[in-house]
């Protein structure tokens, strides 16, 4: 399973609508979460926090980011 597939499975990344592509914000999410994982944070824990709405990566969708 690829990294993006794992993020989709954990709810960290939301699949794009049919016929659409991932956004720039999605790409930023993947990069940030990869860095967090490499820094020692477990993907499962990040996924739980995102699903519980304790953690949000919505700021990565802002054009100023």
């Amino acid at each position: 399973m690829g990294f993006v597939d794992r993020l989709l499975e954990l709810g960290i990344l939301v699949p794009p609508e049919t016929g659409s592509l991932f956004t720039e914000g999605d790409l930023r999410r993947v990069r940030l979460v990869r860095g967090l994982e490499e820094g020692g944070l477990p993907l499962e824990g990040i996924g739980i926090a995102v699903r519980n709405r304790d953690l949000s990566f919505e700021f990565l969708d802002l054009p100023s980011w």
Side-chain angles (χ1 to χ4, degrees):
M1 174 181 294
F3 188 71
V4 170
D5 292 327
R6 184 80 174 120
L7 297 182
L8 289 166
E9 178 183 282
L10 293 170
I12 296 170
L13 193 63
V14 177
E17 293 183 20
T18 304
S20 297
L21 301 173
F22 285 105
T23 66
E24 287 184 38
D26 293 329
L27 177 59
R28 293 181 195 121
R29 276 180 197 77
V30 171
R31 289 178 177 167
L32 178 60
V33 173
R34 171 73 82 178
L36 294 173
E37 181 192 35
E38 288 174 355
L41 294 175
L43 286 180
E44 291 78 13
I46 295 170
I48 290 168
V50 169
R51 289 190 308 274
N52 289 341
R53 298 182 187 260
D54 294 325
L55 177 63
S56 171
F57 295 113
E58 290 181 16
F59 68 94
L60 296 169
D61 293 319
L62 297 173
S64 60
W65 181 257

